[in-house]
Amino acid sequence: MNQFQYVRPTKAQAAIEAVAKDPNARFIAGGTNLVDLMKRGITAPQKLVDINRLPLKQIEHQGSSLRLGALALNSVVANDTQVRERHPLLALALNAGASPQLRNMATVGGNMLQRTRCTYFYDLSMPCNKRQPGTGCGALEGINRMHAIFGHSEQCIAVHPSDMSVALVALDATVQVSGPRGSRSIPFADLHRLPGTTPERDTNLEPGELITAVDVPDSPFTKHVHYQKVRERASYAFALVSAAVALDIENGIIKAARLALGGVAHKPWRLTAAEQVLVGQPATEETFRRVAAVAMQGAKAFKHNEYKLRLAPNALIQALKTAAAA
Amino acid sequence: MVSDLFPTPENTSEPQPDSNARRSFMKQAGGILGLALAPPLVAQAERLTAYSRTIEGATDLTLRINGQTRTVRAEPRVTLLDALRERLDLTGTKKGCDHGQCGACTVLIDGQRVNSCLTLAVMVQGKEITTIEGLAQGDELHPMQAAFLKHDGFQCGYCTPGQIMSGVACVSEGHAKTDDQCREWMSGNLCRCGAYANILAAVREVASKG
Ligand SMILES: Cc1cc2nc3c(=O)[nH]c(=O)nc-3n(C[C@H](O)[C@H](O)[C@H](O)COP(=O)(O)OP(=O)(O)OC[C@H]3O[C@@H](n4cnc5c(N)ncnc54)[C@H](O)[C@@H]3O)c2cc1C
Ligand code: FES
Ligand code: FES
């Protein structure tokens, strides 16, 4: 790992300034992604700004949403009574990610900003536009079984690996950020970017912008929810595909629905068109199959990930059935 | 709905050492090794950590490990795992993958299990660190250590310290109430020898004795 200067501010403003002023500085929260990438030489910041002394750990209900501090640990959020009562989908998605040890370190802010697990991004001897712009995408013509089927570009076909983010995009969360030019709110769906011609940029955050919290609005999705994660072993593995489903059902009829897929795109993939098809329909397998077909419109696979064209809709149908029965 | 695999944990207290098991197969607490002890003022260490700090190059880091205050001269890039193994002669904690993928390096920080390979030592000053060397009380094995012996919960033994630390946390979290739940919540610890069945038996036995 490269040498770096370590600073530990106690004020958000100092942390923001330290990173905004210095293009080689990075925030560090749990460190579970950043330290890993630094050990591998994929990133080599000259300054780490430890944000763990900032007061950003609280989970509290404010107005009509639940505010999760950016430094709240994944394990703490998943176990929080309010989270489990109001947003059980989020608890399920969090507990499906990583391992108990990692969830004890990983934070809300760090989780959504974790970088792709694309093997070409990780392999320094391979081309990768995300790691080194202009070198090409090794995965495009390479081994691309883990890669995207939606929203990819010629420059990058990597997927976003976070489970938590799939639930947050489905639940219409809002990200609160503070930066050198003040504070702003970003709808969760607009936090991550599609790769386009600038795959080196994962998100729409500006340099020095610090995530302070995520707001998850109150919703009727407290019962009929499910997070279906398909992976190559029972636990402790990234998703091949995952499906987050939240339904509001009355007398067997779907009143409202929120759907998203993970492991299929450069960002958590919200399925708004499919959601609309569900509204007013009976919560039956027949409905779910029709909706899954709508969800998959526009999908395009590569040489090794054609299986996702069947796995993704099947995971979605399974999640819908489980959620409806919950 | 949140499935049965993920119930709300109860505040089960940590089990007491089992007086029947005496075989000490784990290295004992680091104090025996006679390494430099820092001034035993944790309060002082904690106060320091409250301030805004800048650290560059090697400095003296103060760590609370197994109830003792230790100083280690290290750069900010040194992980807790390397500090323990390379500089504090606490080699019970193992390095498997060094990337958070195996759990061999599991230690407890303020009672919570974490991967020490992805933890920077500079960031855990002022916290209580427990390693495998800190579990036994004198000659008395921790019940989890005794259960691993009784159930033969290992073959080569390399993953074992991590398994035991994780098992202790798994039980205190209340995540070892059924076999399935225990498997899921022990999934952060891989065993290349495949001793899983016996590891499961050991952790479940400790949990059931509660
Ligand atoms: C073996 C392994 C398996 C894993 N499996 C899964 C899995 O199945 N599912 C899953 O979802 N995840 C998985 N993960 C990833 C894990 O969830 C992330 O590493 C973790 O959530 C990152 O959080 P952190 O706090 O440690 O972030 P850090 O590593 O501290 O930071 C990550 C990035 O976010 C930035 N950052 C952090 N906090 C803020 C903030 N408040 N404001 C602005 N920038 C910030 C940092 O600068 C850095 O660039 C796995 C990780 C490992 C090592
Ligand atoms: S050595 Fe830390 S998880 Fe493998
Ligand atoms: S006992 Fe050999 S790796 Fe687990």
Side-chain angles (χ1 to χ4, degrees):
Chain A
M1 204 191 308
N2 64 296
Q3 292 275 22
F4 55 85
Q5 189 193 51
Y6 169 85
V7 298
R8 190 173 56 208
T10 47
K11 297 263 186 317
Q13 211 43 49
I16 290 164
E17 261 171 41
V19 174
K21 277 201 311 226
D22 182 350
N24 291 312
R26 294 283 178 281
F27 298 121
I28 182 164
T32 58
N33 191 228
L34 190 56
V35 172
D36 186 16
L37 294 171
M38 287 171 67
K39 282 186 177 187
R40 297 172 193 268
I42 295 165
T43 183
Q46 252 115 69
K47 181 189 279 188
L48 287 193
V49 179
D50 180 355
I51 56 176
N52 287 290
R53 291 296 188 283
L54 307 183
L56 301 173
K57 284 199 171 78
Q58 301 85 339
I59 300 173
E60 55 186 355
H61 195 256
Q62 297 188 342
S64 57
S65 55
L66 188 62
R67 172 157 290 191
L68 313 173
L71 290 174
L73 296 177
N74 285 187
S75 53
V76 170
V77 177
N79 265 326
D80 182 84
T81 315
Q82 296 212 65
V83 171
R84 296 166 75 91
E85 279 170 9
R86 294 174 190 273
H87 306 294
L89 177 64
L90 177 60
L92 285 173
L94 279 166
N95 275 334
S99 68
Q101 288 96 315
L102 289 160
R103 296 196 294 271
N104 277 340
M105 307 170 72
T107 62
V108 165
N111 187 314
M112 64 183 73
L113 297 183
Q114 64 176 294
R115 308 214 65 195
T116 185
R117 307 301 284 205
C118 171
T119 46
Y120 295 88
F121 177 72
Y122 268 79
D123 188 339
L124 295 175
S125 66
M126 289 287 172
C128 172
N129 285 325
K130 187 181 276 301
R131 176 167 35 77
Q132 215 180 340
T135 53
C137 172
L140 199 58
E141 303 289 333
I143 310 288
N144 44 35
R145 50 187 295 282
M146 297 299 288
H147 291 76
I149 52 172
F150 288 112
H152 40 64
S153 72
E154 290 275 299
Q155 280 75 30
C156 180
I157 63 171
V159 301
H160 195 261
S162 160
D163 290 298
M164 177 193 78
S165 297
V166 185
L168 286 179
V169 79
L171 295 169
D172 287 314
T174 303
V175 183
Q176 303 298 345
V177 305
S178 289
R181 280 185 294 277
S183 301
R184 62 181 180 128
S185 309
I186 309 173
F188 201 87
D190 298 335
L191 175 68
H192 299 94
R193 297 161 59 94
L194 288 180
T197 55
T198 53
E200 68 278 14
R201 286 194 68 186
D202 292 353
T203 71
N204 287 314
L205 292 182
E206 299 298 333
E209 278 192 320
L210 174 78
I211 296 177
T212 56
V214 179
D215 292 335
V216 192
D218 295 352
S219 75
F221 309 116
T222 53
K223 182 166 167 11
H224 297 292
V225 301
H226 192 61
Y227 188 72
Q228 181 76 46
K229 181 173 176 180
V230 186
R231 42 191 157 176
E232 284 171 330
R233 56 186 185 202
S235 184
Y236 199 12
F238 287 95
L240 296 169
V241 304
S242 65
V245 166
L247 301 173
D248 183 15
I249 305 175
E250 207 175 277
N251 301 323
I253 302 295
I254 296 163
K255 284 175 65 188
R258 297 288 183 270
L259 310 174
L261 293 175
V264 298
H266 196 260
K267 59 191 286 186
W269 196 249
R270 178 80 181 260
L271 300 166
T272 26
E275 288 167 9
Q276 274 151 28
V277 177
L278 275 173
V279 176
Q281 299 298 304
T284 61
E285 179 158 352
E286 198 271 309
T287 304
F288 299 154
R289 289 192 176 278
R290 258 190 307 128
V291 164
V294 174
M296 294 307 291
Q297 280 168 12
K300 181 183 166 295
F302 297 89
K303 188 168 175 198
H304 303 106
N305 68 352
E306 279 205 351
Y307 72 96
K308 288 195 181 182
L309 298 179
R310 291 185 61 195
L311 193 59
N314 285 344
L316 182 60
I317 293 165
Q318 188 59 48
L320 282 159
K321 283 165 69 174
T322 312
Chain B
M1 282 280 82
V2 179
S3 88
D4 287 349
L5 280 183
F6 303 109
T8 314
E10 286 157 23
N11 281 331
T12 45
S13 60
E14 219 173 276
Q16 291 307 302
D18 176 351
S19 55
N20 294 325
R22 292 189 172 268
R23 212 177 113 197
S24 174
F25 74 112
M26 296 297 170
K27 198 185 269 183
Q28 299 298 311
I32 303 168
L33 302 167
L35 285 161
L37 294 183
L41 293 170
V42 193
Q44 190 188 343
E46 273 163 5
R47 233 179 301 125
L48 275 178
T49 60
Y51 302 134
S52 184
R53 294 189 72 178
T54 300
I55 295 177
E56 203 158 3
T59 54
D60 283 339
L61 307 181
T62 307
L63 299 173
R64 273 296 283 182
I65 304 170
N66 300 331
Q68 299 188 341
T69 305
R70 309 281 301 262
T71 356
V72 55
R73 197 160 179 83
E75 297 155 349
R77 66 176 167 173
V78 172
T79 61
L80 176 59
L81 176 60
D82 286 343
L84 291 170
R85 290 184 55 83
E86 311 290 334
R87 294 157 202 244
L88 292 166
D89 208 14
L90 290 168
T91 53
T93 307
K94 299 300 181 220
K95 182 183 283 192
C97 64
D98 211 20
H99 290 283
Q101 299 178 351
C102 75
C105 65
T106 303
V107 300
L108 307 184
I109 295 185
D110 290 342
Q112 306 293 308
R113 48 179 159 163
V114 300
N115 304 88
S116 61
C117 70
L118 293 182
T119 303
L120 296 177
V122 67
M123 288 171 68
V124 290
Q125 296 180 90
K127 298 184 189 260
E128 282 294 333
I129 299 157
T130 310
T131 70
I132 188 73
E133 290 92 343
L135 283 192
Q137 300 203 339
D139 278 347
E140 271 180 27
L141 293 184
H142 185 284
M144 192 61 75
Q145 293 173 310
F148 267 68
L149 282 175
K150 176 178 163 194
H151 291 279
D152 217 3
F154 47 84
Q155 204 178 102
C156 77
Y158 198 79
C159 70
T160 313
Q163 300 279 2
I164 290 176
M165 297 312 288
S166 202
V168 168
C170 188
V171 171
S172 65
E173 289 162 11
H175 287 146
K177 298 211 176 82
T178 66
D179 284 357
D180 277 352
Q181 187 194 44
C182 189
R183 281 192 194 99
E184 167 61 31
W185 287 86
M186 286 297 290
S187 70
N189 294 80
L190 305 190
C191 174
R192 292 210 76 179
C193 298
Y196 294 112
N198 295 358
I199 293 168
L200 180 69
V203 178
R204 288 277 292 134
E205 181 180 274
V206 175
S208 68
K209 283 184 185 164

